[in-house]
Each structure stands twice: as C-alpha cells, then as structure tokens.
Amino acid sequence: MDTKPSALLAVVLLTTTTFSNESIAQTVDSLPLADIQGLVYEGAFQVSSSTFGESRINYAEGPIAYNPTNHSLYVVGHGHQQAIAEFPIPELVGGSDLSELNVVSSPNQLFSRVLGRPKSGNPQNMNRIGGLAVINGELIVNTYEYYDADRNTTNTTLVIRNPGNLSSSIIDGYYNLSPGAHASRWISRIPLQWRNLLGGEYIAGSSSGKPIISRHSVGPSAFAFDPARMADGTPANTTIPTNTALDFSLANPLHDDLSNDSGSNKLWTHVSFAAYGFIIPNSRSYLTIGHSGGHNGGIGYKITQDNGNQCGGYCSRIASDNYNYYWLWDINDLVRVKEGKVSPSSVRPYAFGQLPMPFQQSGFNEISGASFDSESGRLYVSLDGAGSGESSPVFAVFSLSSEKIIRPESPLDLRIE
C-alpha cells in the first residue's frame, strides 16, 4: 500500500494585518475550500513500551497534544491508568518500515494520573481522557465516562495549571462544557478570522463510536468556546457556555441508515468514529479524521464476521471492511448553524472518504487521536496498535501542502438537508 495519502489538504497563504468585522467577512469569503490531496506524510516515530512512572504506552487509547514550547507530545498511556506523560519528538523517519523508526526511550515527564486529582475530587467518576490541548501554558483535558448508561454525567473538563510538572501540578475542575459528551473529545484552535463568526477561540468536538450511542453526537461535532472561562479561580462544576456549529443525535444522525442495510451509505455508520477535528489555516474547511467501516458489506450487531470473529457489539459484516476516514466541512455552513439559519444536524460534508495511512501492514491500524500545530502546519496522528510493541501506537506526522485547491462540485443546497 502506498504510504502517502492519495489526497492533500490544499491551502493558500493569506496576508492580512487587521481584522475589523468588515475585513473579516471579506477575508473569509475569499478563502478556498481545502481538498484532501494536500496531507503530506513527513515521517513517524515510536515510544518505548517500557513503564514510565504510573503507566506505559501499550494499549494507549489515542489522545495527544503537541507542546510547542518543548517540541514534544503529551500522550495518554494505557487505558487502565489514563495517565499523561510528555515525550520529546525525535527526528522523523519517512517510509513505513517500523524497524527504521526512531524510538523515544526517555520521556520529558513520567506518566502521571490526573482524573482523581482535582481539589473537588471526581464526583461523577469520569474514567476516560477524550482529548488534550495546550492553551496559554496550561493543559486542557477533556474527559468522559466510558459507559454512561444513565446519561447523567455533566462533567467534561480539567485544567492542569502547570503541565511542566504533571506529577504535582494543581488540577482544577471538573468543569462542564455545556453540550456534555457531545463536546468531550478533541480541542483545537480556531484561526483568528473565524472566531467572531463561530463565537469562540477553540473548538471542542466528539462523535459516536463509543458505548451508549444515544448520548453522543452521531457524526462529528463542533462547539466553539472560550478557555478563559476556566481561568484560575473558576469554581468547580461551572458550566462553560458554547456556541453550536455542528452536532447530531441518534434521532438526527449524519446518515439515517447506520447499519447500511441499503448498501449505499458511504458517509457514516454505527462503527464510524471521529478522533480529531481542526480548521485548516487560511481555508474555510473544518477537517475531521478518524475511521469508519461497513460501507461495502453493511453492519451487524453481535454477529459473527466473515473471518469467524464474534463481535461484542456493532461491527462490519466483512472483517476487512474497515478503514481510516475523513470528512471535510465548509465552515460557512457551520457559521449558518451558529447564526441559527440552519439546524446543526442538517449540515453535510462537502467531501469524505477513505484516508490511507502508513503502517497498515499488520492489518487495520486506526486513527485514534491527533493534534495540529498551526505554527508549523504539522498534524500529529496516533495510529492505534501500529507500533512494534504490544498494541503500541506509531506517531505519524503530516504537513499541509498548498500546491492546489479543488473546490467541491456540489452546490451548497446539496450539503444542507
């Protein structure tokens, strides 16, 4: 398999020095839509499977955050501990030969557990880290309860005030992003020209693909918020307001044939999952990436797949019918949602499909997390189980190319239901 994606997020550079409301409107109207053909694979690295502090990288669930201060990654380790460590980023090695990758064998900071350390405790028993982001020298941590059958949790977010000292930093929270589980995974920066229009400085998002589908957004979501609302001194259990730009539900999913019984659903199924979303700089595109399946052979529940595997929940009928996936959205559509002109579940991506990734030789290794650095234009992606250690990830790095721009052929009214 080709180790480079067949598509690149094409963007152009835009020079501007002031952003009055009028100039912002003029600027965003002139921005291009990105095409997936600009995502360029630069190289990858691994992390040692040794135990560092309270956890190790094996069976990591994916959330990562780029730290520009140290050119490093904050990484959530083994799913049992939900601990965070910081690892330096070594020289990248291209290709897809695991034996040639540089392996980080010494962390900047050891794995430290965080979920039970806020001064107010963990009253709702949040037990998973969904996403991370370095914002203004602090580490914002989105969380969720893995199996919230009662759908009664409201807590979502912690703030590690001194991420340079993970083991002893003050941790504040839990705070409540107003959409709850619908905003409990990734956090990404909104470029300046879109902040007024979307109503916030950062996006919080999530999707289905985890237990209890009725409590999730059944499709990638986007909520704009202001992290300053969680400043030092903000009381625990404070609700952080958000502005809705994209959201779905089980009653109004991204596609209404989630089992793909029709055989024609190429958009979103019961096993689809978005791991990360971000606005591509100098474009009007919101990119969400993750994985999907069942688009060729359909989805079953607790079935035996064609290879004899017995599924514990929803899965593709054909075991090989799973792949990494992307969904590209026109931010103008998201702005129309925020302005109340269309419903958040009516928007459809202008482009979507399979997103080939390196390190798939041993089978399907899914995108489980990512982090975008807007300064360098690099996207760091965690590929679950692709590493040489026991169920350890590979961290693949991509850059954005500005070689070409391809606008969607479909008119706007085909993207809004």
Side-chain angles (χ1 to χ4, degrees), residues 86-102:
E86 181 186 11
F87 291 94
I89 296 171
E91 181 179 355
L92 302 177
V93 176
S96 58
D97 187 339
L98 284 173
S99 66
E100 295 182 355
L101 297 185
N102 286 320

Side-chain angles (χ1 to χ4, degrees), residues 1 96 98 357-366 383-389 391-392 394:
M1 178 181 293
S96 58
L98 284 173
M357 286 279 126
F359 306 102
Q360 303 294 305
Q361 296 92 328
S362 60
F364 172 53
N365 297 110
E366 64 192 34
L383 296 174
D384 183 50
S388 56
S391 194
S392 64
V394 164

Side-chain angles (χ1 to χ4, degrees), residues 207-208 218-220 254-255 258 265 267-269 272-274 295 327:
S207 84
S208 54
V218 188
L254 180 54
H255 198 288
L258 294 173
N265 174 8
L267 182 55
W268 188 272
T269 70
S272 301
F273 174 74
H295 297 295
W327 301 264

Side-chain angles (χ1 to χ4, degrees), residues 29 34 53 59 93 121 126 139 153 184 239 299 336 342 351 370 375 401 405:
D29 285 344
Y59 298 96
V93 176
M126 310 309 285
L139 185 61
T153 58
S184 62
T239 296
I299 300 293
R336 295 177 72 200
V342 298
E375 296 302 317
S401 166
I405 298 169

Side-chain angles (χ1 to χ4, degrees), residues 258-293:
L258 294 173
S259 292
N260 195 19
D261 294 328
S262 66
S264 61
N265 174 8
K266 303 297 182 182
L267 182 55
W268 188 272
T269 70
H270 271 302
V271 300
S272 301
F273 174 74
Y276 188 71
F278 71 103
I279 294 176
I280 299 166
N282 305 308
S283 82
R284 68 173 202 267
S285 297
Y286 176 54
L287 171 65
T288 52
I289 59 174
H291 50 88
S292 193

Side-chain angles (χ1 to χ4, degrees), residues 18-70:
T18 60
F19 289 95
S20 66
N21 288 337
E22 182 178 357
S23 67
I24 288 174
Q26 292 172 344
T27 296
V28 297
D29 285 344
S30 67
L31 289 174
L33 285 168
D35 183 81
I36 200 75
Q37 286 188 351
L39 196 61
V40 181
Y41 175 56
E42 297 290 343
F45 66 97
Q46 297 188 79
V47 167
S48 168
S49 294
S50 299
T51 297
F52 299 110
E54 297 186 76
S55 191
R56 61 191 191 280
I57 199 68
N58 304 63
Y59 298 96
E61 295 184 335
I64 58 176
Y66 179 72
N67 180 10
T69 300
N70 296 335

Side-chain angles (χ1 to χ4, degrees), residues 41-378:
Y41 175 56
E42 297 290 343
F45 66 97
Q46 297 188 79
V47 167
S48 168
S49 294
S50 299
T51 297
F52 299 110
E54 297 186 76
S55 191
R56 61 191 191 280
I57 199 68
N58 304 63
Y59 298 96
E61 295 184 335
I64 58 176
Y66 179 72
N67 180 10
T69 300
N70 296 335
H71 185 52
S72 60
L73 283 183
Y74 289 108
V75 178
V76 179
H78 195 294
H80 288 176
Q81 290 84 43
Q82 297 294 307
I84 303 173
E86 181 186 11
F87 291 94
I89 296 171
E91 181 179 355
L92 302 177
V93 176
S96 58
D97 187 339
L98 284 173
S99 66
E100 295 182 355
L101 297 185
N102 286 320
V103 179
V104 179
S105 57
S106 180
N108 290 350
Q109 296 188 74
L110 302 176
F111 281 107
S112 297
R113 302 188 197 211
V114 300
L115 295 179
R117 285 172 44 198
K119 290 175 286 187
S120 59
N122 186 359
Q124 295 183 6
N125 297 313
M126 310 309 285
N127 55 21
R128 290 293 189 277
I129 294 174
L132 306 170
V134 177
I135 302 176
N136 298 326
E138 299 177 328
L139 185 61
I140 311 299
V141 181
N142 261 355
T143 71
Y144 63 100
E145 183 183 0
Y146 180 74
Y147 197 85
D148 182 15
D150 296 329
R151 302 172 56 195
N152 60 0
T153 58
T154 57
N155 292 165
T156 58
T157 309
L158 300 174
V159 181
I160 300 176
R161 297 299 180 189
N162 180 14
N165 193 348
L166 289 171
S167 64
S168 61
S169 173
I170 290 173
I171 300 178
D172 286 331
Y174 283 81
Y175 302 117
N176 307 323
L177 290 173
S178 56
H182 285 227
S184 62
R185 294 193 67 86
W186 65 84
I187 304 167
S188 59
R189 180 178 178 270
I190 298 177
L192 181 61
Q193 61 263 50
W194 290 109
R195 291 179 184 176
N196 285 345
L197 293 170
L198 292 174
E201 294 186 5
Y202 282 79
I203 283 176
S206 189
S207 84
S208 54
K210 298 295 181 183
I212 319 299
I213 188 175
S214 59
R215 69 189 173 115
H216 292 293
S217 176
V218 188
S221 66
F223 300 91
F225 76 102
D226 184 356
R229 300 273 191 158
M230 297 181 283
D232 192 8
T234 304
N237 212 37
T238 295
T239 296
I240 309 302
T242 64
N243 285 300
T244 304
L246 189 66
D247 192 25
F248 301 91
S249 67
L250 187 56
N252 295 288
L254 180 54
H255 198 288
D256 58 9
D257 183 11
L258 294 173
S259 292
N260 195 19
D261 294 328
S262 66
S264 61
N265 174 8
K266 303 297 182 182
L267 182 55
W268 188 272
T269 70
H270 271 302
V271 300
S272 301
F273 174 74
Y276 188 71
F278 71 103
I279 294 176
I280 299 166
N282 305 308
S283 82
R284 68 173 202 267
S285 297
Y286 176 54
L287 171 65
T288 52
I289 59 174
H291 50 88
S292 193
H295 297 295
N296 298 319
I299 300 293
Y301 183 70
K302 294 187 176 181
I303 61 170
T304 300
Q305 294 177 294
D306 64 334
N307 65 351
N309 176 59
Q310 179 67 46
C311 299
Y314 287 109
C315 65
S316 57
R317 296 185 179 278
I318 302 171
S320 62
D321 190 16
N322 294 278
Y323 13 78
N324 288 303
Y325 229 69
Y326 76 93
W327 301 264
L328 272 166
W329 312 79
D330 188 336
I331 305 175
N332 282 342
D333 295 345
L334 276 61
V335 171
R336 295 177 72 200
V337 172
K338 188 264 180 183
E339 293 174 343
K341 295 178 180 178
V342 298
S343 72
S345 62
S346 67
V347 180
R348 295 296 180 267
Y350 67 82
F352 56 90
Q354 293 188 34
L355 182 59
M357 286 279 126
F359 306 102
Q360 303 294 305
Q361 296 92 328
S362 60
F364 172 53
N365 297 110
E366 64 192 34
I367 295 172
S368 56
S371 181
F372 180 68
D373 175 38
S374 58
E375 296 302 317
S376 66
R378 279 184 160 181

